[in-house]
Amino acid sequence: MKNNLHHSQYIGTKINLLNFNFIQMRNFFLSIGEKKFCADQMMHWIYHEYCDDFNKMTNISNILRKKLNNMCVIEAPKFIEEKRSVDGTIKWQVAVNNNLVETVYIPEKNRSTLCISSQIGCILECSFCATGQIGFKKNLNVSEIVGQIWNASKIINHNQFQKHRPITNIVLMGMGEPLLNLNNVVNSLKIILNDFGFNISKNKVTLSTSGIVPALDKLSNMIDVNLAVSLHAPNNIIRDKLMPINKKYNIQNLLHSINRYLNKSHANRGGVTIEYVMLNNINDEVVHAEELAMILKKIPSKINLIPWNCFPNSIYKSSDPIKIKKFAAILIKKGFFTVIRKNRGTDINAACGQLVGNIV
Ligand code: SF4
């Protein structure tokens, strides 16, 4: 088994069990001469009891506990700093090697969403995004992705002294482009969806992408979750300037790929979520709303208009709220389900596009 493991699945010389999805966990236990049901028990201890101490796993034999102590660990990246917003949003800085990523908990009336990161930094350099400005550092491995949920769940779901709404939804909208870390993201999603894992239903899990077309096509054969696409422009001229990836996979290619994904998906019954950041005098005019409605005519979609969050040295300004409302009204009149996203956690820099981490 050891030879089949990737070096990123180790901590020192020990195997980190937080890197295994359900099937991999079973294969691992078979490879060390144990029964499949021991893997099921282990998943339960990790993801339902939040236990990282083999000695506390009472239904596992002493001999196996000893073996596991010698070979394995259960280790999530550490949450080293917590900031709480007045609106209930919580942002954690997570230490990964010598870098930080960010995880954000967003409580709402009927649900609570955890926004997780998939990479440290991002290679795509979207000009309106704070993460894009820090460049790319590293892909997160599975334990570093699911470890964010594991740590946050321990704080939120299992702290009886704090009245937090348990995490009901997961969005991959934090730092990074998930489809550029496809295998680790898909294995993490398998753990999130699996009954023995976090057991969250596929229509409550959303992957947000800037539109890496070949990876999106691959994803449709690998896993079914909600899709959100960062479109942010109604035509290629504007999108080329905001998102350099558009020069490689333009809007038309992307929309075809979205349709292919939707045709295979059961999670996206209401259609894809289109993310559209509102930038003053760049993409927020009446003509842009009309153009957007036209290009989305054949795509079942919900449109999220996102008031832009300023960050230092940016060339952009956020659109006037009246202009955003007018933009939304045009889309609604044309039959699109459209919402203006509420900004959450702006006082702690936890809002969309504000996640930058810091080097420790
Ligand atoms: S918007 Fe998303 S894809 Fe673009 S630079 Fe930021 S994190 Fe990367």
Side-chain angles (χ1 to χ4, degrees):
M1 181 74 187
K2 187 161 177 163
N3 291 337
N4 296 332
L5 292 169
H6 190 269
H7 62 86
S8 67
Q9 291 175 318
Y10 286 86
I11 290 209
T13 55
K14 292 192 173 180
I15 297 159
N16 189 359
L17 295 184
L18 222 49
N19 277 310
F20 291 150
N21 68 36
F22 179 57
I23 302 288
Q24 291 167 331
M25 190 74 87
R26 281 190 165 184
N27 287 340
F28 170 69
F29 273 82
L30 289 174
S31 78
I32 60 169
E34 300 294 335
K35 298 269 186 305
K36 275 196 288 196
F37 75 85
C38 296
D40 305 356
Q41 288 172 324
M42 181 56 63
M43 292 287 286
H44 182 86
W45 279 111
I46 297 175
Y47 295 104
H48 292 241
E49 302 296 335
Y50 297 95
C51 178
D52 56 4
D53 181 351
F54 298 122
N55 298 326
K56 291 186 180 154
M57 299 180 177
T58 45
N59 58 356
I60 289 179
S61 73
N62 278 336
I63 297 170
L64 178 53
R65 280 191 234 168
K66 209 167 169 192
K67 199 167 168 183
L68 292 170
N69 272 318
N70 287 334
M71 291 181 74
C72 306
V73 287
I74 299 164
E75 203 167 303
K78 302 233 168 347
F79 279 14
I80 58 165
E81 192 184 303
E82 177 180 286
K83 283 189 182 152
R84 291 186 179 235
S85 162
V86 287
D87 66 14
T89 301
I90 307 173
K91 181 173 83 169
W92 294 281
Q93 294 212 309
V94 188
V96 178
N97 301 340
N98 289 330
N99 295 285
L100 294 178
V101 287
E102 301 188 331
T103 306
V104 184
Y105 165 78
I106 309 148
E108 291 169 272
K109 208 169 167 204
N110 301 316
R111 63 182 185 179
S112 279
T113 302
L114 191 74
C115 176
I116 59 173
S117 297
S118 56
Q119 297 183 309
I120 303 176
C122 183
I123 206 168
L124 295 180
E125 297 183 336
C126 300
S127 55
F128 57 87
C129 169
T131 306
Q133 311 309 304
I134 63 171
F136 174 72
K137 312 258 185 234
K138 168 185 138 53
N139 278 334
L140 297 185
N141 66 28
V142 176
S143 65
E144 291 158 351
I145 298 172
V146 298
Q148 296 170 60
I149 309 170
W150 199 69
N151 280 339
S153 299
K154 279 204 282 188
I155 296 168
I156 297 299
N157 298 0
H158 289 268
N159 191 337
Q160 49 185 316
F161 302 110
Q162 298 174 351
K163 290 204 175 87
H164 291 304
R165 175 177 288 285
I167 296 162
T168 56
N169 293 56
I170 302 288
V171 294
L172 277 120
M173 284 187 192
M175 291 173 82
E177 164 52 61
L179 295 188
L180 290 181
N181 185 12
L182 189 64
N183 286 336
N184 288 332
V185 162
V186 168
N187 277 329
S188 303
L189 288 170
K190 285 180 179 169
I191 296 170
I192 293 169
L193 301 182
N194 190 276
D195 298 357
F196 287 95
F198 291 110
N199 193 19
I200 299 180
S201 122
K202 62 186 169 198
N203 46 33
K204 294 189 171 169
V205 179
T206 302
L207 181 147
S208 173
T209 178
S210 60
I212 313 292
V213 168
L216 184 54
D217 285 335
K218 267 195 198 164
L219 183 78
S220 66
N221 294 321
M222 295 168 97
I223 202 135
D224 183 17
V225 289
N226 266 314
L227 190 65
V229 173
S230 299
L231 193 63
H232 304 315
N235 60 52
N236 287 318
I237 295 170
I238 298 176
R239 198 165 191 263
D240 278 353
K241 286 187 188 138
L242 299 179
M243 306 180 74
I245 191 66
N246 195 64
K247 292 180 190 148
K248 201 161 181 190
Y249 310 114
N250 69 20
I251 292 179
Q252 287 64 37
N253 286 337
L254 175 56
L255 295 180
H256 286 308
S257 173
I258 292 170
N259 258 341
R260 288 194 291 275
Y261 191 89
L262 293 183
N263 284 339
K264 286 192 182 165
S265 169
H266 296 286
N268 289 267
R269 276 185 228 116
V272 64
T273 300
I274 298 291
E275 309 277 357
Y276 194 98
V277 68
M278 299 297 293
L279 300 167
N280 188 42
N281 293 338
I282 302 285
N283 63 357
D284 64 348
E285 307 292 346
V286 169
V287 60
H288 297 141
E290 283 166 354
E291 219 177 337
L292 182 63
M294 210 171 64
I295 63 168
L296 293 179
K297 219 162 51 186
K298 292 193 179 142
I299 312 279
S301 50
K302 311 166 260 193
I303 302 173
N304 261 354
L305 300 178
I306 308 168
W308 184 70
N309 292 302
C310 199
F311 61 85
N313 302 325
S314 175
I315 52 171
Y316 299 112
K317 289 200 171 75
S318 31
S319 303
D320 188 284
I322 296 171
K323 225 171 165 186
I324 300 178
K325 277 190 189 153
K326 197 168 164 192
F327 198 96
I330 296 167
L331 295 169
I332 291 167
K333 200 166 166 202
K334 288 190 181 283
F336 289 90
F337 180 80
T338 306
V339 291
I340 300 170
R341 190 188 285 168
K342 272 194 220 138
N343 262 335
R344 300 294 305 267
T346 41
D347 54 333
I348 54 168
N349 285 350
C352 248
Q354 286 189 323
L355 302 183
V356 285
N358 277 312
I359 311 303
V360 285

